[in-house]
Amino acid sequence: MPSSRALVAAVVALLSYVDRSRMRRAHAGLPRYRTYGNPALPPVVLIPGLDGCASFYAGALPELTRERFVVVYELPLVSAANRDAYTFSYLARGLADALDELDIDAAPVVGESFGGVVAMHAALEHETRVTRLLLLSSLAKTELTTEVWLKKTFALPVVRVIGRAFPNVAQTIFAYVHASDVVEASEPEWVTNFFIKEASWAHHASVMARLSIVIPLDITARVVHLRQKTRLVYGADDTFTGATTDALLALLPDADKVALPGGHLPHLTSPKAFARLVLDFVAGK
């Protein structure tokens, strides 16, 4: 009869196998980008945030594709091959490569939060490929609130440890912990539920790699050199990146700032209004 220690080890091994198998199925064959609408229309590029949840743009897509060919850039997953090179510049290079594959010389780029930082790097390092920038709930320097600092200091190390054996479990825990950052208490419960459901399926190692480059972020000295017309969009009730949006605006005197109802994810909660903002901006209005 197996010992209790051997039984525990077997259970852990089984859970680990199931956990990793689910993660592999969820992310098998992830493309470099997804496209929507008529390729004959002018393009616009959307970049998702930290968790890579392009689904947050889903409500806006029907409106956007009426006037634009939409390219959603899928943030590359971290792997043994790119782990040491996983930087914002690496992610920006991937965006330029995606445009090459689609034979798009240049396009306006919309970046959400972490994706906005990728968009700024693309605009700085591949200047001719980005015609306009719309930065949604984004930042040039990470400013941690007390609550977020506590999560980073105490909860995140635990999540990382769990993630070594059970990445999907760890990502689900992270989604629950992170939900209160990006969803305001005043917002409907469905927003929290939707965020947790979608973020729980994110590639855990990649989310951790993205955290490692965004937590120490400070590109304030660089963004002043952005040449593209820029619009900052934010949720009127956003307590997560509302202050960083204001700080970014102070660095970009030619940019404008537009509020939408909601918190950190106004493109999820007000998709039609968000889509209209994007379409007007990229059309030069």
Side-chain angles (χ1 to χ4, degrees):
M1 187 171 181
S3 67
S4 58
R5 180 177 296 179
L7 184 60
V8 170
V11 171
V12 169
L14 177 61
L15 289 173
S16 181
Y17 173 78
V18 172
D19 185 272
R20 291 177 188 276
S21 295
R22 180 187 179 210
M23 190 65 74
R24 282 195 296 270
R25 290 196 303 273
H27 300 283
L30 187 69
R32 187 193 300 272
Y33 54 82
R34 299 179 190 273
T35 61
Y36 303 87
N38 183 356
L41 292 173
V44 62
V45 177
L46 309 181
I47 309 178
L50 180 76
D51 299 291
C53 294
S55 55
F56 296 163
Y57 287 115
L61 281 175
E63 303 298 320
L64 293 173
T65 52
R66 295 179 194 277
E67 300 178 31
R68 291 277 164 168
F69 175 55
V70 178
V71 178
V72 177
Y73 176 48
E74 296 280 2
L75 295 173
L77 303 185
V78 74
S79 66
N82 67 9
R83 188 176 304 277
D84 292 339
Y86 204 85
T87 64
F88 280 111
S89 292
Y90 171 82
L91 300 176
R93 175 70 258 175
L95 173 59
D97 290 343
L99 294 179
D100 287 340
E101 289 184 22
L102 289 163
D103 291 324
I104 296 174
D105 292 330
V109 176
V110 177
E112 172 219 332
S113 194
F114 179 95
V117 184
V118 177
M120 285 185 278
H121 277 78
L124 288 164
E125 298 168 13
H126 308 279
E127 184 179 332
T128 60
R129 313 304 299 274
V130 180
T131 58
R132 286 185 162 227
L133 273 176
L134 189 146
L135 305 175
L136 169 64
S137 305
S138 199
L139 66 161
K141 180 180 180 181
T142 300
E143 302 283 359
L144 300 180
T145 64
T146 301
E147 180 182 357
V148 175
W149 181 88
L150 288 171
K151 290 179 181 179
K152 177 188 81 72
T153 305
F154 298 105
L156 189 57
V158 175
V159 171
R160 289 184 186 275
V161 170
I162 296 172
R164 293 171 188 168
F166 307 108
N168 191 64
V169 171
Q171 183 56 32
T172 300
I173 294 171
F174 178 75
Y176 274 93
V177 170
H178 190 41
S180 61
D181 299 326
V182 298
V183 181
E184 299 298 329
S186 59
E187 295 188 282
E189 185 178 358
W190 73 263
V191 184
T192 299
N193 293 339
F194 187 87
F195 173 81
I196 292 172
K197 178 175 71 72
E198 297 298 310
S200 292
W201 282 95
H203 188 259
H204 181 67
S206 297
V207 173
M208 295 298 104
R210 292 168 199 152
L211 277 174
S212 71
I213 61 176
V214 77
I215 287 175
L217 177 73
D218 184 354
I219 55 169
T220 52
R222 296 188 66 193
V223 296
V224 296
H225 300 295
L226 284 169
R227 297 177 182 273
Q228 294 84 354
K229 177 67 177 175
T230 303
R231 170 164 292 172
L232 308 181
V233 178
Y234 69 105
D237 300 321
D238 183 9
T239 59
F240 187 51
T241 54
T244 61
T245 297
D246 288 335
L248 186 53
L249 182 65
L251 297 169
L252 302 170
D254 292 332
D256 62 5
K257 186 176 80 164
V258 182
L260 286 172
H264 186 69
L265 306 171
H267 55 321
L268 174 61
T269 54
S270 300
K272 289 188 177 182
F274 171 74
R276 191 69 259 160
L277 269 179
V278 171
L279 292 171
D280 288 348
F281 177 69
V282 300
K285 299 179 183 177

